[in-house]
Coordinates of all heavy atoms in Angstrom, one line a residue:
E115 N -18.5 2.8 -1.5 CA -17.2 3.4 -1.5 C -16.7 3.8 -0.1 O -15.5 3.6 0.2 CB -17.2 4.7 -2.4 CG -17.3 4.5 -3.9 CD -16.1 3.7 -4.4 OE1 -14.9 4.0 -4.0 OE2 -16.3 2.7 -5.1
D116 N -17.6 4.2 0.7 CA -17.2 4.6 2.1 C -16.8 3.3 2.9 O -16.1 3.4 3.9 CB -18.3 5.3 2.8 CG -18.5 6.8 2.3 OD1 -17.5 7.2 1.6 OD2 -19.5 7.4 2.5
D117 N -17.3 2.2 2.5 CA -17.0 1.0 3.3 C -15.5 0.7 3.4 O -15.1 0.2 4.4 CB -17.7 -0.2 2.6 CG -19.2 -0.3 3.0 OD1 -19.6 0.2 4.0 OD2 -20.0 -0.9 2.2
R118 N -14.8 1.0 2.4 CA -13.3 0.7 2.5 C -12.7 1.7 3.5 O -11.7 1.3 4.2 CB -12.7 0.9 1.1 CG -13.2 -0.1 0.1 CD -12.3 -0.3 -1.0 NE -11.2 -1.2 -0.7 CZ -10.2 -1.6 -1.6 NH1 -10.2 -1.1 -2.8 NH2 -9.3 -2.4 -1.2
L119 N -13.2 2.9 3.6 CA -12.6 3.8 4.6 C -13.0 3.3 6.0 O -12.2 3.4 6.9 CB -13.2 5.2 4.3 CG -12.5 6.3 5.1 CD1 -11.0 6.4 4.8 CD2 -13.2 7.7 4.8
R120 N -14.2 2.9 6.1 CA -14.6 2.3 7.4 C -13.7 1.1 7.8 O -13.3 1.0 8.9 CB -16.1 1.8 7.4 CG -17.1 2.9 7.2 CD -18.5 2.3 7.3 NE -19.6 3.3 7.0 CZ -20.2 3.4 5.9 NH1 -19.9 2.6 4.9 NH2 -21.1 4.3 5.7
L121 N -13.4 0.3 6.8 CA -12.6 -0.8 7.0 C -11.2 -0.4 7.4 O -10.5 -1.0 8.3 CB -12.6 -1.7 5.8 CG -11.8 -3.1 5.9 CD1 -12.2 -3.9 7.1 CD2 -11.9 -3.9 4.6
V122 N -10.6 0.6 6.8 CA -9.3 1.1 7.2 C -9.3 1.5 8.6 O -8.4 1.2 9.4 CB -8.9 2.3 6.3 CG1 -7.6 2.9 6.8 CG2 -8.6 1.8 4.8
F123 N -10.2 2.3 9.1 CA -10.3 2.8 10.5 C -10.4 1.6 11.4 O -9.9 1.6 12.5 CB -11.3 3.8 10.7 CG -10.9 5.2 10.4 CD1 -11.1 5.8 9.1 CD2 -10.2 5.9 11.3 CE1 -10.7 7.1 8.9 CE2 -9.7 7.2 11.0 CZ -10.0 7.8 9.8
T124 N -11.2 0.6 11.0 CA -11.4 -0.6 11.9 C -10.0 -1.3 12.0 O -9.6 -1.7 13.1 CB -12.4 -1.5 11.3 OG1 -13.7 -0.8 11.2 CG2 -12.7 -2.7 12.2
C125 N -9.4 -1.5 10.9 CA -8.1 -2.3 10.9 C -7.0 -1.5 11.6 O -6.0 -2.1 12.1 CB -7.6 -2.5 9.4 SG -8.7 -3.7 8.5
C126 N -7.1 -0.2 11.7 CA -6.1 0.7 12.3 C -6.6 1.1 13.7 O -6.1 2.1 14.2 CB -5.8 1.9 11.5 SG -5.2 1.5 9.9
H127 N -7.5 0.4 14.3 CA -8.0 0.8 15.6 C -6.9 0.7 16.7 O -6.1 -0.2 16.7 CB -9.2 -0.1 16.0 CG -10.0 0.4 17.2 ND1 -9.6 0.3 18.5 CD2 -11.1 1.1 17.2 CE1 -10.5 0.8 19.3 NE2 -11.4 1.4 18.5
P128 N -6.8 1.7 17.6 CA -5.7 1.7 18.6 C -5.7 0.5 19.5 O -4.7 0.3 20.2 CB -5.9 3.0 19.3 CG -7.3 3.4 19.0 CD -7.7 2.9 17.7
A129 N -6.8 -0.2 19.6 CA -6.8 -1.4 20.4 C -6.0 -2.5 19.8 O -5.6 -3.5 20.5 CB -8.3 -1.9 20.6
L130 N -5.6 -2.4 18.6 CA -4.8 -3.4 17.9 C -3.3 -3.0 18.0 O -3.0 -1.8 17.9 CB -5.2 -3.6 16.4 CG -6.7 -3.9 16.2 CD1 -6.9 -4.0 14.7 CD2 -7.0 -5.2 16.9
A131 N -2.4 -3.9 18.1 CA -1.0 -3.6 18.0 C -0.6 -3.1 16.7 O -1.2 -3.4 15.7 CB -0.2 -4.9 18.3
P132 N 0.4 -2.2 16.6 CA 0.8 -1.5 15.4 C 1.1 -2.5 14.3 O 0.7 -2.4 13.1 CB 2.0 -0.7 15.7 CG 1.8 -0.4 17.2 CD 1.1 -1.6 17.8
D133 N 1.8 -3.6 14.6 CA 2.1 -4.6 13.5 C 0.9 -5.3 13.1 O 0.8 -5.7 11.9 CB 3.2 -5.6 14.0 CG 2.8 -6.3 15.2 OD1 1.8 -6.1 15.8 OD2 3.6 -7.2 15.7
A134 N -0.1 -5.5 14.0 CA -1.3 -6.1 13.6 C -2.2 -5.2 12.7 O -2.8 -5.6 11.7 CB -2.1 -6.5 14.8
Q135 N -2.1 -3.9 13.0 CA -2.8 -2.9 12.1 C -2.3 -3.0 10.7 O -3.1 -3.1 9.7 CB -2.6 -1.5 12.6 CG -3.2 -1.2 14.0 CD -2.9 0.2 14.5 OE1 -2.4 1.0 13.7 NE2 -3.1 0.5 15.7
V136 N -1.0 -3.0 10.5 CA -0.5 -3.1 9.2 C -0.8 -4.4 8.5 O -1.3 -4.4 7.3 CB 1.1 -2.9 9.2 CG1 1.7 -3.1 7.9 CG2 1.4 -1.5 9.8
A137 N -0.6 -5.5 9.2 CA -0.9 -6.8 8.6 C -2.3 -6.9 8.2 O -2.7 -7.4 7.1 CB -0.5 -7.9 9.5
L138 N -3.2 -6.5 9.1 CA -4.7 -6.6 8.8 C -5.1 -5.7 7.6 O -5.9 -6.1 6.8 CB -5.5 -6.3 10.0 CG -7.0 -6.6 10.0 CD1 -7.2 -8.1 9.8 CD2 -7.7 -6.2 11.2
T139 N -4.6 -4.5 7.6 CA -4.9 -3.6 6.5 C -4.4 -4.1 5.1 O -5.2 -4.1 4.1 CB -4.4 -2.2 6.7 OG1 -4.9 -1.7 8.0 CG2 -4.8 -1.2 5.6
L140 N -3.2 -4.6 5.1 CA -2.6 -5.1 3.9 C -3.4 -6.4 3.4 O -3.6 -6.6 2.2 CB -1.1 -5.4 4.0 CG -0.2 -4.2 4.2 CD1 1.2 -4.6 4.4 CD2 -0.3 -3.3 2.9
R141 N -3.8 -7.2 4.4 CA -4.5 -8.4 4.0 C -5.9 -8.1 3.6 O -6.4 -8.6 2.6 CB -4.5 -9.4 5.2 CG -5.2 -10.7 5.0 CD -4.4 -11.6 4.1 NE -5.2 -12.7 3.6 CZ -5.9 -12.7 2.5 NH1 -6.0 -11.7 1.8 NH2 -6.5 -13.8 2.2
E142 N -6.7 -7.4 4.4 CA -8.1 -7.2 4.2 C -8.5 -6.1 3.3 O -9.4 -6.2 2.5 CB -8.8 -7.0 5.6 CG -8.6 -8.2 6.5 CD -9.0 -9.5 6.0 OE1 -10.0 -9.6 5.2 OE2 -8.4 -10.5 6.4
V143 N -7.8 -4.9 3.4 CA -8.1 -3.8 2.6 C -7.5 -3.9 1.2 O -8.1 -3.6 0.2 CB -7.7 -2.5 3.2 CG1 -8.0 -1.3 2.4 CG2 -8.3 -2.3 4.6
C144 N -6.2 -4.4 1.1 CA -5.5 -4.4 -0.1 C -5.4 -5.8 -0.8 O -5.0 -5.9 -1.9 CB -4.1 -3.9 0.1 SG -4.1 -2.2 0.8
G145 N -5.7 -6.8 0.0 CA -5.7 -8.2 -0.6 C -4.4 -8.8 -0.8 O -4.3 -9.8 -1.6
L146 N -3.3 -8.3 -0.1 CA -2.0 -9.0 -0.2 C -2.1 -10.4 0.5 O -2.9 -10.5 1.5 CB -0.9 -8.2 0.5 CG -0.2 -7.2 -0.4 CD1 -1.1 -6.1 -0.9 CD2 1.1 -6.7 0.3

Side-chain angles (χ1 to χ4, degrees):
E115 285 301 313
D116 287 345
D117 281 335
R118 297 200 80 181
L119 190 59
R120 294 186 186 99
L121 184 54
V122 170
F123 273 98
T124 302
C125 292
C126 299
H127 195 278
L130 304 177
D133 58 356
Q135 293 175 14
V136 173
L138 190 62
T139 301
L140 290 174
R141 181 72 191 91
E142 303 300 331
V143 179
C144 302
L146 271 69

